[in-house]
Amino acid sequence: MSVEKCGAAILGFGNIGSGAAELLKTNKARITQSAGREVVLKYILDVKFPENSEFKHLFVSDFALIENDPAVTVVIETIGGIRFAYDFTKRALSAGKSVVTSNKELVAMYGHELLTIAKANNVNYLFEASVGGGIPILRPLSQCLAANEITEIYGILNGTTNYILTKMSEGQSYEQALKTAQELGYAEADPAADVSGKDTCRKICILADLAFGKHINPNEVSVIGIENVKNALTAEGKVKLIGRAKKLGGDRIMIRVAPEVIAADHMLSCVENANNGIVVKGDAVGEVLFYGQGAGKMPTASAIVADVIDCVKHVNARKWLYWDDGDRIELVSE
Amino acid sequence: MSVEKCGAAILGFGNIGSGAAELLKTNKARITQSAGREVVLKYILDVKFPENSEFKHLFVSDFALIENDPAVTVVIETIGGIRFAYDFTKRALSAGKSVVTSNKELVAMYGHELLTIAKANNVNYLFEASVGGGIPILRPLSQCLAANEITEIYGILNGTTNYILTKMSEGQSYEQALKTAQELGYAEADPAADVSGKDTCRKICILADLAFGKHINPNEVSVIGIENVKNALTAEGKVKLIGRAKKLGGDRIMIRVAPEVIAADHMLSCVENANNGIVVKGDAVGEVLFYGQGAGKMPTASAIVADVIDCVKHVNARKWLYWDDGDRIELVSE
């Protein structure tokens, strides 16, 4: 059968961007079946051109080419950071292209503004990959649990720190564990964003935003990292770095990031190594947990391509997955 | 603001049906916000009329009233079993009404036929509540993991048997544990469908169907229950009743239900008491797990109302959540 084609472009060809390109190629048939349209990767924007990439013919250095090509319906932003990603995302959305991203920093800071621009241009801005890697969490939260009053969300949202704490609970020192994590590629040469809790903070802010419909600036949240954790295994249970957002009375929510002792009989104490586990508490459903690899090339690509499928599937249908609501709320940091 | 109204009817006012009615009432504002329309419960069909139910004015005994009321867009079928549910579901779909159900027996046996009828009538047949109670699993499987080649699905799909096995691993005998489960209302007076593995079998068949796009008749699957489990705690790990569907070469899949020994470091060994845990393995995402209460009045109502929201939201848009494919496949039972 012949199906309509939809052009796609990838911004930033690092670990995640190349994973998305590979997955679009490897599972093309299944992706076309799910989307009802064929997703054709047309451009890859990056500053460095790879000599021997199978995708080298797609590389461009000028974003305007993508911005002005009406054949491009979906832009995959995997540049990371704010500077270029913010500008390119705004321009892509304004040009009537849906944008899919794994960029938690950008979503946590400017998600609401970008959702508003997407809405105004009748396109989608999707970011399932920005929290929990390939673990389905944002869509289940906003769709499958839509009948619930969400009262709390908490969990292990950063694989690097969870790996370090796991090794520490097995007897390694913080320094040893960090070194192992770096050798295995779990931790950056500069692990600050992970061990300081900053990365976890961005993710819990995105989750709180979707669950409570309020934008929370990560910079206003009280964050304690794992740098000063001496003992990751106490008599009361294992120490885990937990991001937590809880609905309080009225319009107030408590949100914080800190190491917490998790009792041995709690599911989160079973979440070890580089895995993530996210608990959502709803008034009807009780507690549900979502678990899996919270990062990594292909798991993250899995979430990105699922969002791409969703954009392509609804390319002609007005449909937004997430509401947006710019109201401020009173933060209660503990 | 004034929003369009959508009429709903509940078939069968037992535990689940009454939970759905309560949830539609309690969280009305949030449900209207998510759906973009107001869901108005118009009829409740049941053989017995409750004397002092707040919903007594909605009770009817003639399905034709619902079938012929154009104001009813969604029918919630919580009768259970095949006999009436099958007939009413076909008639509702044929009358152009979407149907939402928690009826795993009906979905496992006639899901494909009913999806085909739904498609022909441009309505939805949704059954998130038929597997894992309130745990989001069918939608994540068919949407969030759509970019993956799903290679295997396995897990703890029945809360009653998991509760019994948990108590046995704590030292109770099978008979003691079953008695406790019955006293707590986890197990029916006649626990056959649970302890025999039949209930787990229906659920793994529904999951395999969605994951592999093939209808599997539960009656063709090899099923071993827990009646003969003597020891639920071995040196190698805990014994759990596992439903398992695995893709083999070509068009073949292995599907079975049996007690399995789960190693202590596997997430499923942390799934205790009446909870469910479902693992989905994809070529890109790796293993993800979904955990929560697999049954119960309000958790199940949570999944039902989420499906209702989805039907109402897309009442004017052609949209099917699940593909259907009537092909038969070769079953390899172990």
Side-chain angles (χ1 to χ4, degrees):
Chain A
M1 68 174 187
S2 97
V3 293
E4 190 183 330
K5 287 178 167 44
C6 279
I10 293 175
L11 313 184
F13 201 67
N15 193 34
I16 307 302
S18 57
E22 280 172 37
L23 190 56
L24 282 170
K25 189 186 174 208
T26 322
N27 289 359
K28 194 175 193 53
R30 142 175 326 274
I31 292 163
T32 305
Q33 184 200 17
S34 305
R37 292 185 174 81
E38 185 186 349
V39 179
V40 179
L41 184 55
K42 224 180 148 188
Y43 304 97
I44 294 172
L45 180 83
D46 204 291
V47 282
K48 40 184 184 334
F49 281 42
E51 261 328 299
N52 39 28
S53 160
E54 57 176 320
F55 301 105
K56 64 190 290 187
H57 59 291
L58 301 177
F59 275 69
V60 295
S61 55
D62 179 8
F63 178 70
L65 282 171
I66 297 165
E67 184 179 23
N68 300 321
D69 185 341
V72 174
T73 29
V74 189
V75 171
I76 299 165
E77 184 271 301
T78 56
I79 301 170
I82 301 287
R83 198 167 149 228
F84 295 105
Y86 181 49
D87 176 50
F88 290 162
T89 300
K90 277 196 292 190
R91 285 166 62 186
L93 294 170
S94 306
K97 304 172 190 315
S98 288
V99 176
V100 168
T101 188
S102 58
N103 189 336
K104 54 227 172 204
E105 189 177 355
L106 184 62
V107 174
M109 281 303 293
Y110 298 101
H112 267 78
E113 181 192 352
L114 295 168
L115 279 167
T116 312
I117 299 174
K119 206 165 179 172
N121 290 277
N122 194 21
V123 291
N124 266 307
Y125 181 54
L126 303 183
F127 39 88
E128 179 69 72
S130 66
V131 179
I135 306 167
I137 173 67
L138 303 191
R139 212 177 254 84
L141 180 61
S142 54
Q143 292 181 2
C144 310
L145 301 175
N148 288 260
E149 166 91 28
I150 305 295
T151 54
E152 186 170 12
I153 299 184
Y154 62 98
I156 296 164
L157 296 162
N158 178 274
T160 308
T161 45
N162 199 51
Y163 179 84
I164 293 172
L165 291 171
T166 302
K167 290 303 150 197
M168 287 173 71
S169 72
E170 292 165 7
Q172 288 191 17
S173 70
Y174 173 77
E175 293 70 20
Q176 286 172 311
L178 174 57
K179 195 163 166 300
T180 324
Q182 285 166 326
E183 282 159 5
L184 290 167
Y186 290 149
E188 309 286 327
D190 174 9
D194 291 323
V195 298
S196 68
K198 202 176 215 143
D199 177 78
T200 297
C201 180
R202 289 169 182 150
K203 292 165 176 171
I204 193 64
C205 285
I206 294 171
L207 288 168
D209 189 337
L210 291 183
F212 307 126
K214 306 287 181 182
H215 176 247
I216 294 140
N217 183 335
N219 304 323
E220 294 176 20
V221 174
S222 135
V223 178
I224 303 171
I226 64 164
E227 303 99 323
N228 302 319
V229 174
K230 294 274 160 287
N231 176 13
L233 185 61
T234 77
E236 294 70 38
K238 292 173 191 158
V239 174
K240 299 285 189 185
L241 181 63
I242 302 294
R244 189 179 288 274
K246 186 174 186 178
K247 199 160 198 169
L248 304 176
D251 209 14
R252 299 158 65 238
I253 74 163
M254 181 281 288
I255 181 160
R256 69 149 191 245
V257 174
E260 295 185 21
V261 175
I262 304 296
D265 63 354
H266 192 292
M267 281 295 283
L268 286 182
S269 80
C270 306
V271 177
E272 296 283 47
N273 299 309
N275 293 302
N276 284 196
I278 305 155
V279 177
V280 180
K281 211 185 228 176
D283 61 350
V285 78
E287 287 201 340
V288 290
L289 173 135
F290 303 85
Y291 164 91
Q293 297 176 52
K297 180 177 180 169
M298 296 320 287
T300 308
S302 163
I304 287 175
V305 176
D307 276 350
V308 169
I309 289 171
D310 210 74
C311 292
V312 166
K313 200 187 252 167
H314 304 104
V315 72
N316 300 325
R318 198 170 183 79
K319 170 167 184 296
W320 304 292
L321 283 173
Y322 314 127
W323 72 78
D324 57 328
D325 169 348
D327 301 356
R328 299 294 310 151
I329 41 149
E330 180 183 348
L331 287 186
V332 183
S333 292
E334 283 187 347
Chain B
M1 67 175 190
S2 97
V3 292
E4 191 182 330
K5 287 178 166 44
C6 279
I10 293 175
L11 314 183
F13 202 66
N15 194 31
I16 308 301
S18 57
E22 282 173 35
L23 190 55
L24 282 170
K25 188 186 173 207
T26 323
N27 288 358
K28 193 175 194 53
R30 143 175 324 276
I31 292 163
T32 305
Q33 183 199 17
S34 306
R37 292 184 174 81
E38 185 185 348
V39 179
V40 180
L41 183 56
K42 223 179 148 188
Y43 303 98
I44 295 171
L45 180 82
D46 204 291
V47 282
K48 39 185 185 334
F49 280 43
E51 262 328 299
N52 39 28
S53 159
E54 57 176 320
F55 301 106
K56 63 190 289 187
H57 59 291
L58 301 178
F59 275 69
V60 296
S61 54
D62 178 7
F63 179 69
L65 281 172
I66 296 165
E67 184 179 21
N68 300 321
D69 185 340
V72 173
T73 17
V74 190
V75 171
I76 299 165
E77 184 271 300
T78 55
I79 302 170
I82 300 287
R83 198 167 150 227
F84 295 106
Y86 182 48
D87 175 50
F88 290 163
T89 300
K90 277 196 291 189
R91 286 167 61 186
L93 294 169
S94 306
K97 305 173 188 315
S98 288
V99 175
V100 168
T101 188
S102 58
N103 189 336
K104 54 225 169 203
E105 189 177 354
L106 185 62
V107 175
M109 281 302 292
Y110 299 102
H112 267 79
E113 181 193 352
L114 295 169
L115 279 167
T116 313
I117 299 174
K119 205 166 180 172
N121 291 276
N122 194 20
V123 291
N124 267 306
Y125 181 54
L126 303 183
F127 40 89
E128 179 70 70
S130 66
V131 179
I135 305 168
I137 173 66
L138 304 190
R139 213 178 253 82
L141 180 61
S142 55
Q143 293 181 359
C144 310
L145 301 174
N148 287 260
E149 166 92 27
I150 304 296
T151 55
E152 187 170 10
I153 300 184
Y154 62 97
I156 297 163
L157 296 162
N158 177 274
T160 308
T161 47
N162 198 53
Y163 180 84
I164 293 171
L165 291 172
T166 302
K167 290 302 150 199
M168 286 173 72
S169 72
E170 292 165 6
Q172 290 190 17
S173 70
Y174 174 77
E175 293 68 21
Q176 286 173 309
L178 173 58
K179 194 162 166 301
T180 324
Q182 285 166 325
E183 283 159 4
L184 290 167
Y186 291 149
E188 309 288 327
D190 173 7
D194 291 322
V195 298
S196 69
K198 203 178 209 130
D199 177 78
T200 297
C201 180
R202 290 171 181 149
K203 292 167 176 169
I204 193 64
C205 285
I206 294 171
L207 288 168
D209 189 336
L210 290 183
F212 307 127
K214 307 287 181 181
H215 176 246
I216 294 139
N217 183 335
N219 303 322
E220 295 175 20
V221 174
S222 133
V223 178
I224 303 171
I226 64 164
E227 304 98 324
N228 302 317
V229 173
K230 293 274 159 288
N231 175 12
L233 184 61
T234 76
E236 293 68 40
K238 292 174 191 157
V239 174
K240 299 284 189 185
L241 181 63
I242 302 295
R244 188 179 289 274
K246 186 175 187 176
K247 198 160 201 172
L248 304 174
D251 209 15
R252 300 157 65 236
I253 75 163
M254 182 280 288
I255 181 159
R256 71 152 189 240
V257 174
E260 295 185 21
V261 175
I262 304 296
D265 63 353
H266 192 292
M267 281 294 284
L268 286 182
S269 79
C270 305
V271 177
E272 297 282 46
N273 300 308
N275 293 301
N276 284 196
I278 305 155
V279 177
V280 180
K281 211 185 229 177
D283 61 348
V285 78
E287 287 200 340
V288 289
L289 172 135
F290 303 85
Y291 164 91
Q293 297 175 54
K297 180 177 180 171
M298 295 322 285
T300 307
S302 163
I304 287 176
V305 176
D307 276 349
V308 168
I309 289 171
D310 211 73
C311 292
V312 167
K313 200 187 252 167
H314 304 105
V315 73
N316 300 326
R318 198 170 183 79
K319 172 164 182 298
W320 304 292
L321 282 174
Y322 313 128
W323 73 79
D324 58 327
D325 168 351
D327 302 354
R328 300 291 313 148
I329 40 150
E330 179 184 348
L331 287 186
V332 183
S333 292
E334 283 187 349

